[in-house]
Amino acid sequence: MEKELFDYVAQRAEILSTTAASKQSTKDAANAWKAAVAADSSDAAVEAATTALLDYMEGRPREIDGLIAFAEGPAVQLLGAETAAGMLEGAKARKAAGEKYCGCPACTAGSELLAKFGRIEL
């Protein structure tokens, strides 16, 4: 893998592994990528680790319509009315701007990775 692409994946794996917006399973997948490439930096190992991370991430970034539905429903009870209202406002603004995915750090890093490797369109 070319250094520029490797650095791109590494940066997003770091975000996925550290942001509070990531679920633990996402953090685990990103940490597995980091551990795999630290243990073996050969092209084959990096490619395999990257494919595993991408396979895990597929379907994970929350689509904007799903975020809107979450903000209108379960988020009210889980996060409180004020937080849910802010989330809903932000999600509707993203949708109006043509965005397809949630804008939290985890969904952004995940959707950027998937798009970089041609698995989704942003």
Side-chain angles (χ1 to χ4, degrees):
M1 179 179 291
E2 294 179 13
K3 182 176 177 1
E4 184 178 318
L5 183 56
F6 177 86
D7 290 346
Y8 186 90
V9 176
Q11 181 184 45
R12 274 123 191 106
E14 182 64 22
I15 293 166
L16 290 168
S17 70
T18 60
T19 183
S22 285
K23 292 181 178 181
Q24 187 59 50
S25 59
T26 301
K27 290 179 180 184
D28 293 345
N31 282 325
W33 181 88
K34 293 183 341 181
V37 300
D40 183 351
S41 61
S42 69
D43 281 344
V46 172
E47 295 288 339
T50 301
T51 296
L53 179 59
L54 292 169
D55 288 347
Y56 171 82
M57 291 306 302
E58 253 182 326
R60 301 257 178 223
R62 188 179 294 260
E63 292 184 359
I64 199 71
D65 288 334
L67 178 59
I68 290 170
F70 176 73
E72 290 175 330
V76 176
Q77 289 182 330
L78 293 170
L79 306 172
E82 187 176 326
T83 300
M87 180 184 289
L88 179 60
E89 182 181 335
K92 285 184 174 181
R94 286 184 64 76
K95 183 173 182 170
E99 299 291 334
K100 295 179 182 180
Y101 297 96
C102 170
C104 79
C107 288
T108 298
S111 60
E112 288 172 347
L113 265 178
L114 291 168
K116 186 75 165 178
F117 286 87
R119 296 198 182 195
I120 63 169
E121 287 186 28
L122 292 180

